[in-house]
Amino acid sequence: MRTRTWLWLSAPLLLSLSCTTLPEIPAAACGNKLVETEREDCDGDAPASSRCAAPGEAHACRYVCADATGASYTCPTGYRCGGDGVCRQPTGVFQQAGRSIEVGATELQSGDFDDNKQAEVLALGTKDILERAPTQVLFFSEDLERATAQPIPGLLGAPVVGRFTNSPYDGLAFGSLPGMAMLIGRRDRQFFPRSYPTFETPPDVTDARIYFVDFFANQGPVSGSPFPTDFPVLYSTLKGPQGELHELFIADLNERVAQMPAGPSELQGDLVMGILNEQLPCPTAVAGYKNID
């Protein structure tokens, strides 16, 4: 009986390996391409038209809707743009922002008076018998830890916060003895005053339009008033003994400015009035009419 024996020969296989040291990935650090902490919303990547702030930048590894260059971006779906240029997801719950600030106030309103995209607070004190109250505006630091109080001189009657002009600043409208006044916010956190006196319309007016014109735009306050005054100019049609009269007159002073060829209902467009030429100290009125050449 034969026995077959198998002999296996193994030839050595030599492999040449090249070793590369991979960089360490720091844990919980902005810039490692991993979103790991509550302080990170992103790390490098962002949806189209959105931006993730890079390491070393303000608000690093957060979605931003604005940056130091002034550029603006769209927040990703589910995020909202904050006043500090950071996109955040609403939580649905309230939490205390900053620290408590003691203010002697009976009423609070909010508005952006310096156009920093962060709301300020209008604080009203105790009202007097005429419903007027001492007022101050609180301007907050970005972290809401500090507030600067800007007192408003005098007592304000029923102030209301709103956007009253085409400027980017909110302002205050309030009652005053001559009529209504406004304080419009500014970048330097001061307030620009305007005044709108009250007046009565004559009983024989059948058609009228009202315009507010600053006749003293380059001459400062008038009549001792601390407010630059926009005078109410009434363009009206009146029934007179000889028929209809079409006039421009300063309503609160009852002073005629000019007699017009037609009434306000015949205007083509609107009446333009004011200091149209800096070389002419007097205001000019320009009117176009539908049926008058």
Side-chain angles (χ1 to χ4, degrees), residues 155-210:
L155 301 176
L156 305 189
V160 176
V161 175
R163 187 68 55 86
F164 303 110
T165 67
N166 59 0
S167 75
Y169 309 104
D170 283 338
L172 311 175
F174 55 94
S176 63
L177 292 178
M180 185 188 74
M182 289 184 184
L183 294 172
I184 308 301
R186 300 195 314 188
R187 180 77 65 182
D188 59 4
R189 297 185 172 182
Q190 301 299 312
F191 287 89
F192 182 74
R194 308 296 297 174
S195 178
Y196 299 92
T198 57
F199 60 91
E200 294 183 1
T201 303
D204 51 354
V205 170
T206 60
D207 185 17
R209 291 189 186 182
I210 187 70

Side-chain angles (χ1 to χ4, degrees), residues 46-51 63-66 72-77 79 81 87:
S49 73
S50 300
R51 184 174 186 273
Y63 292 118
V64 293
C65 43
S72 59
Y73 307 92
T74 302
C75 291
T77 302
Y79 287 77
C81 182
C87 300

Side-chain angles (χ1 to χ4, degrees), residues 109-116 118-122 137-140 189:
Q109 299 183 44
S110 65
D112 187 2
F113 301 111
D114 57 1
D115 190 33
N116 66 347
Q118 178 173 311
E120 286 76 50
V121 172
L122 175 71
V137 176
L138 303 178
F139 294 92
F140 293 92
R189 297 185 172 182

Side-chain angles (χ1 to χ4, degrees), residues 36-53:
E36 302 171 280
T37 71
E38 295 181 354
R39 298 188 301 272
E40 297 180 359
D41 294 321
C42 55
D43 201 334
D45 296 329
S49 73
S50 300
R51 184 174 186 273
C52 181

